[in-house]
């Protein structure tokens, strides 16, 4: 059941409950399989530790953690049951009401048991004990493709999102200095700004200026922006997705392959599937999509490297070049991981911010005041200097990620024997930290349902209200620790740049009678009709 939200970000979704149900059904067949925890422990490679300290000795037994029986879960999730076809957030709330702030769901088929916790002190315990190689299981089909089907390309490097243990540590250590260094990412500001301006030109051409309504689908348009922006860094290439002409065949291969991946990853990585034993036509289609994306990505990387060679710079300049100098497999694997993890995340968040600003015109005006100061002339380029001081914009993004984070929770395997909310939780057990439930609760954020960017603003006299009052583990939209989001800096750069351009040039209004709807699949993201009105200033 956990694998849904452990795919990329601990996002969760509608199929999660189907997954719970499938697992229960499959469980009847799988009693002879080894216990999940034993399988999973291989990820840690750490020596056994025995705890004899009073906290551990006095804690209640693991088996005493309350939770639904297999029969109850089956009944809840079968047609007619309360949780039939629901999503993880609803499921999580339902069991929380029934069992309290900590409960346990048994795992099977090589998956660990999962303990759900709603206690930020537990989150801290989990993260502080995650060891140097935190385990967030997910996307096994991708790992299988890279390691078993295409060893020729990947040569044992499965990538960040899917590898664990030492293999994960090896690649993360190599790419951290490139991806986490502010300057490496911020040097892309001019390119990212050009893309934002191209997006605005395209928006302008697709707007009905009488009504302010877009004649195309905003979600698709913003996704193209996200694609173009990640690709300029990952592939050092402009894909031309915002241009009017049809993009070239290799670009379309990546776009189509990514769409198949987003569609099929649910089926093969969420529900316990038998693809390891039998490759169904759908699974083969997913493998083919991975192939297309890999081949087309390699094509762009090789093209970019040819160009670099001709330019004969001794010093590596771009992110891609730096990754390529580590080695070509690392560049290919990271480019694909960036595309997989960097599209829906930023596009969902930008739409969420626009929605809250569109519903709160006074907050939008406050933001516009800030943007007018930094860009008196809208045609001015964005620079490190003029984008240094944008506290209100940053607060708007933070507040949007508080209310509608792309991940409703995060996941880890316990890295050691730990005590959570007074119960023993052995090393290797899955722990789901239900962050969104807390960041949307009045217990942790006053007037939690309201969009109040001010709660994140520092003043000359005081630190921001949130940091004065709250346990920092309640709000972690990019995760935490050594396995935190590696694309955070790029995501911030992209989102800030587009929002500066949009709000500086357009008044955005949400004209829907009801608020924007959301769906929980790979991530939590907006869905349905985008009822925005854009008025050019
Ligand atoms: C609003 C934007 C984004 C949000 C909120 C977000 C959030 C997250 C979260 C919560 C995780 C899990 C962290 C953990 O387990 O502690 C994660 C992992 C990851 N993210 Fe992001 N992300 C965003 C954008 C991006 C972008 C643009 C990229 C790529 C350029 C990216 C690449 C990744 C990768 C590769 C991982 C896996 C890291 C690992 O396992 O070592 N993300 N992200």
């Amino acid at each position: 059941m956990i694998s849904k939200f452990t795919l990329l970000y601990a996002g969760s979704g509608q199929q999660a409950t189907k997954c719970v149900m499938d697992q229960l059904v499959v469980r009847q067949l799988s009693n002879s399989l080894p216990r999940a925890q034993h399988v999973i422990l291989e990820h840690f490679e750490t020596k056994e530790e025995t705890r004899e300290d009073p906290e551990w000795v006095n804690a209640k037994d693991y088996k005493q953690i309350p939770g639904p029986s297999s029969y109850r879960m089956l009944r809840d999730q079968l047609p007619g049951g309360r949780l039939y076809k629901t999503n993880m957030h609803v499921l999580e709330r339902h069991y929380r009401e029934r069992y309290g702030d900590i409960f346990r769901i048994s795992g099977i088929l090589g998956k660990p048991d999962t303990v759900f916790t709603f206690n930020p002190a537990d989150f801290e315990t989990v993260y502080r004990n995650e060891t140097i190689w935190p385990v967030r299981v997910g996307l096994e089909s991708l790992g299988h493709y890279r390691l078993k089907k295409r060893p020729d390309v990947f040569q044992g490097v499965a990538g960040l999102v899917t590898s664990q243990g030492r293999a994960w540590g090896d690649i993360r250590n190599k790419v951290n200095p490139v991806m986490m260094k502010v300057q490496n990412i911020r040097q892309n500001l001019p390119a990212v700004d050009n893309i934002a301006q191209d997006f605005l030109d395209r928006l302008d051409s697709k707007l009905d200026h009488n009504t302010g309504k877009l004649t195309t689908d905003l979600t698709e348009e913003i996704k193209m922006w996200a694609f173009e922006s990640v690709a300029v860094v990952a592939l050092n290439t402009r894909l031309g997705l915002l241009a009017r002409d049809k993009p070239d065949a290799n670009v379309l291969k990546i776009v189509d392959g990514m769409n198949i991946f987003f569609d099929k990853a649910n089926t093969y990585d969420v529900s316990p599937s038998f693809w390891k034993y039998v490759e169904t036509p759908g699974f083969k289609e997913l493998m083919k999509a991975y192939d297309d994306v890999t081949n087309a990505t390699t094509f762009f990387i090789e093209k970019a490297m040819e160009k670099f060679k001709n330019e004969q710079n001794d010093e590596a300049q771009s992110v891609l070049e730096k990754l390529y100098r580590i080695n070509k497999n690392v560049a290919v694997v990271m480019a694909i991981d960036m595309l997989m993890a960097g599209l829906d995340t930023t596009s969902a968040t930008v739409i969420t911010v626009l929605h809250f600003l569109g519903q709160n015109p006074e907050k939008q005006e406050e933001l516009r005041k800030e943007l007018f100061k930094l860009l008196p002339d809208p045609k001015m380029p964005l620079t490190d200097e003029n984008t240094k001081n944008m506290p209100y914009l940053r607060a708007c993004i933070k507040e949007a990620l508080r209310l509608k984070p792309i991940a409703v929770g995060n996941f880890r395997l316990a890295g050691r024997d730990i005590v959570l909310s007074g119960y023993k939780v052995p090393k290797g057990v899955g722990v789901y930290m239900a962050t969104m439930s807390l960041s949307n609760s009045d217990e942790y954020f006053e007037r939690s349902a309201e969009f109040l960017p001010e709660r994140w603003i520092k003043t000359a006299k005081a630190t921001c209200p949130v940091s004065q009052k709250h346990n920092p583990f309640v709000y972690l939209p990019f995760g935490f620790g050594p396995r935190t989001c590696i694309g955070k800096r790029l995501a911030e750069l992209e989102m800030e740049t587009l929002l500066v351009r949009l709000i500086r040039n357009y008044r955005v209004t949400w004209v829907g009678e009801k608020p924007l709807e959301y769906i929980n699949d790979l991530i939590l993201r907006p869905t349905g009709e985008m009822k925005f009105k854009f008025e050019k200033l």
Side-chain angles (χ1 to χ4, degrees):
M1 115 149 251
I2 41 105
S3 49
K4 178 66 184 178
F5 42 82
T6 59
L7 278 178
L8 294 175
Y9 307 104
S12 59
Q14 298 186 321
Q15 290 224 354
T17 51
K18 173 177 177 296
C19 174
V20 171
M21 206 180 80
D22 289 352
Q23 287 193 358
L24 288 172
V25 174
V26 177
R27 173 185 304 205
Q28 315 308 323
L29 309 170
S30 63
N31 286 340
S32 59
L33 288 171
R35 287 280 298 136
Q37 272 67 40
H38 296 164
V39 179
I40 290 295
L41 285 178
E42 72 196 28
H43 293 324
F44 294 105
E45 294 184 28
T46 52
K47 64 177 173 23
E48 285 310 311
E49 297 159 329
T50 315
R51 279 188 71 174
E52 282 165 4
D53 56 291
E55 188 200 28
W56 180 258
V57 171
N58 295 327
K60 285 179 268 181
D61 194 63
Y62 175 64
K63 293 271 175 231
Q64 287 177 272
I65 301 177
S69 66
S70 305
Y71 170 71
R72 171 166 291 286
M73 277 176 49
L74 202 53
R75 208 183 59 188
D76 285 347
Q77 286 152 40
L78 278 174
R82 286 163 208 248
L83 299 175
Y84 179 58
K85 282 197 172 169
T86 187
N87 64 48
M88 177 59 71
H89 195 50
V90 173
L91 177 138
E92 167 199 300
R93 261 203 323 242
H94 176 81
Y95 286 134
R96 184 187 192 189
E97 272 164 30
R98 190 179 291 262
Y99 300 107
D101 280 357
I102 184 160
F103 59 85
R104 176 169 66 95
I105 289 181
S106 307
I108 58 144
L109 269 185
K111 305 235 191 271
D113 282 6
T114 303
V115 171
F116 284 65
T117 167
F118 296 79
N119 177 351
D122 288 348
F123 302 175
E124 180 163 5
T125 305
V126 172
Y127 285 127
R128 301 269 183 230
N129 289 282
E130 63 184 2
T131 77
I132 52 165
W133 300 324
V135 181
R136 198 192 54 244
V137 189
L139 282 185
E140 283 183 280
S141 69
L142 182 64
H144 172 80
Y145 168 77
R146 288 175 174 173
L147 296 181
K148 300 275 181 319
K149 300 253 178 200
R150 295 300 300 273
D152 55 317
V153 177
F154 295 97
Q155 302 187 357
V157 182
L160 282 185
V161 284
T162 182
S163 52
Q164 309 299 346
R166 184 180 297 278
W168 172 83
D170 280 351
I171 179 163
R172 182 86 198 206
N173 282 343
K174 286 181 183 141
V175 298
N176 261 356
V178 180
M179 297 291 298
M180 301 295 275
K181 197 171 164 203
V182 183
Q183 194 41 41
N184 288 346
I185 298 302
R186 285 210 65 89
Q187 69 177 0
N188 294 289
L189 176 59
V192 169
D193 189 22
N194 274 336
I195 295 171
Q197 298 195 45
D198 287 353
F199 176 83
L200 255 70
D201 289 346
R202 188 174 161 95
L203 183 82
D204 200 57
S205 71
K206 306 269 172 191
L207 265 188
D208 173 340
H209 287 274
N210 294 323
T211 61
K213 288 192 185 151
L214 204 58
T215 54
T216 50
D217 179 1
L218 182 69
T219 313
E220 284 308 308
E221 297 292 339
I222 298 234
K223 240 191 228 171
M224 292 301 119
W225 156 80
F227 220 133
E228 193 75 27
S229 307
V230 173
V232 86
V233 176
L235 305 174
N236 220 73
T237 307
R238 280 295 305 260
L239 296 183
L241 290 166
L242 300 172
R244 281 156 216 224
D245 308 332
K246 211 170 166 209
D248 86 27
N250 276 306
V251 173
L252 288 178
K253 266 194 192 164
I254 301 185
V255 175
D256 293 346
M258 283 296 165
N259 284 339
I260 295 174
F261 156 68
F262 284 117
D263 186 40
K264 301 254 176 244
N266 269 351
T267 312
Y268 298 103
D269 286 298
V270 177
S271 306
S273 163
F274 288 97
W275 59 259
K276 285 181 193 157
Y277 313 102
V278 186
E279 293 198 358
T280 58
F283 185 75
K284 286 184 182 151
E285 201 191 338
L286 178 62
M287 293 296 114
K288 161 94 176 45
Y290 286 151
D291 247 345
D292 285 347
V293 172
T294 303
N295 295 341
T297 306
T298 310
F299 165 83
F300 282 116
I301 290 178
E302 279 170 356
K303 214 166 109 183
M305 293 324 299
E306 268 316 298
K307 200 167 144 238
F308 293 143
K309 267 188 221 147
N310 295 337
E311 285 166 2
Q312 300 225 317
N313 272 330
D314 284 344
E315 223 177 285
Q317 299 295 328
S318 66
V319 165
L320 174 64
E321 204 178 352
K322 288 189 167 86
L323 293 173
Y324 195 91
R325 289 198 183 191
I326 298 170
N327 78 39
K328 186 177 160 192
N329 311 329
V330 169
V332 172
V333 98
M334 265 320 291
I336 301 175
D337 279 7
M338 280 195 243
L339 292 172
M340 284 179 164
L343 302 185
D344 283 18
T345 43
T346 45
S347 46
T349 307
V350 164
I351 294 177
T352 298
V353 176
L354 289 179
H355 175 239
F356 284 121
L357 291 173
Q359 282 186 317
N360 294 276
E362 69 298 345
K363 309 286 178 206
Q364 191 178 148
E365 278 316 313
E366 190 61 35
L367 172 59
R368 196 166 290 110
K369 263 197 248 158
E370 178 174 287
L371 302 183
F372 264 82
K373 265 192 226 151
L374 64 95
L375 276 192
D377 172 358
K379 294 214 162 54
M380 282 165 71
L382 294 183
T383 62
D384 276 349
E385 201 43 46
N386 64 17
T387 55
K388 210 182 273 171
N389 195 16
M390 308 188 293
Y392 203 79
L393 175 62
R394 289 180 178 139
C396 288
I397 297 174
K398 277 192 178 149
E399 184 66 345
L401 280 170
R402 178 186 70 78
L403 282 155
K404 295 287 180 193
I406 56 118
V408 299
N410 203 358
F411 178 85
R412 290 286 187 268
L413 297 188
R416 299 197 169 87
D417 290 347
I418 48 178
V419 175
L420 299 182
S421 296
Y423 293 96
K424 289 181 175 120
V425 174
K427 172 175 168 177
V429 166
V431 183
Y432 173 77
M433 297 165 272
T435 42
M436 179 171 151
S437 287
L438 306 193
S439 68
N440 277 264
S441 142
D442 280 355
E443 191 182 340
Y444 297 101
F445 290 91
E446 273 167 35
R447 298 162 64 192
S448 66
E450 292 173 52
F451 180 73
L452 299 174
E454 290 71 16
R455 67 172 99 235
W456 299 101
I457 307 252
K458 272 197 266 196
T459 61
K461 288 195 196 120
T463 53
C464 73
V466 170
S467 61
Q468 284 163 17
K469 285 189 196 154
H470 295 294
N471 180 329
F473 287 86
V474 172
Y475 174 82
L476 292 170
F478 290 94
F480 183 81
R483 198 143 196 177
T484 189
C485 175
I486 201 154
K488 177 176 187 270
R489 298 197 190 291
L490 178 58
E492 286 171 346
L493 178 75
E494 287 176 30
M495 297 189 298
E496 286 171 13
T497 307
L498 184 65
L499 288 164
V500 168
R501 290 288 172 202
L502 268 171
I503 302 301
R504 173 65 184 81
N505 289 289
Y506 286 92
R507 178 167 295 108
V508 183
T509 315
W510 177 253
V511 290
E513 278 164 24
K514 292 191 198 142
L516 186 58
E517 287 170 37
Y518 280 79
I519 180 172
N520 265 354
D521 48 20
L522 275 186
I523 58 167
L524 180 74
R525 63 190 169 89
T527 186
E529 212 184 322
M530 299 286 129
K531 297 191 172 168
F532 286 103
K533 183 173 160 192
F534 293 91
E535 292 166 275
K536 204 161 182 181
L537 297 170

